[in-house]
Amino acid sequence: MKIIAITMLRYGADVKEPVILSQSCDLSSFGFFQRQGIKEMASFFSKTIVKRTSPGQRQTVVHEDYNVHVYVRHDGLAATLTADMEYPMRVAFVLLMNMMDQYTDQVSNWKTETKDESIVFEPMNQAILEYQDPAKADKITKIQKDLDDTTEV
């Protein structure tokens, strides 16, 4: 289970294309020469899927070996999480909602930003590391894992 990228975007009537406000990537499992391409892929999918998602909706789009989880709020803030196929969908959406709430609380100028990756959001960098193991970060997943381990014995 691996998270590749978490991306915060802004999309509304005042911009033609979604604007990537902040992005955090964990590309340590890829070779040095692959990393830039993987990051560009995550950015491209984030923008494309946000454009095709209605406000107030969340969805998961499958591309090859990855799931892109997306949530677009009515106020124009959107978030995506790109992860491998094994990463639990429920944990991904909990993480996205938590990040979006923190983002609106801590970043006041996101509604007017028009340049890609212009806002550094440190909690997102911490979350991508913390949520790599969903059982550590999410209590329900931890309980389910403990139950599964118990039934195996």
Side-chain angles (χ1 to χ4, degrees), residues 105-117:
D105 290 344
Q106 296 177 23
V107 180
S108 59
N109 64 330
W110 71 267
K111 288 185 178 185
T112 57
E113 191 57 58
T114 57
K115 289 182 359 190
D116 278 344
E117 296 190 53

Side-chain angles (χ1 to χ4, degrees), residues 7-11 18-23 76-78 103 107 109-121 124:
T7 309
M8 288 290 173
L9 303 98
R10 179 176 86 81
Y11 187 55
V19 176
I20 295 178
L21 301 170
S22 303
Q23 186 174 41
L77 185 64
Y103 205 81
V107 180
N109 64 330
W110 71 267
K111 288 185 178 185
T112 57
E113 191 57 58
T114 57
K115 289 182 359 190
D116 278 344
E117 296 190 53
S118 56
I119 300 170
V120 176
F121 188 59
M124 205 160 60

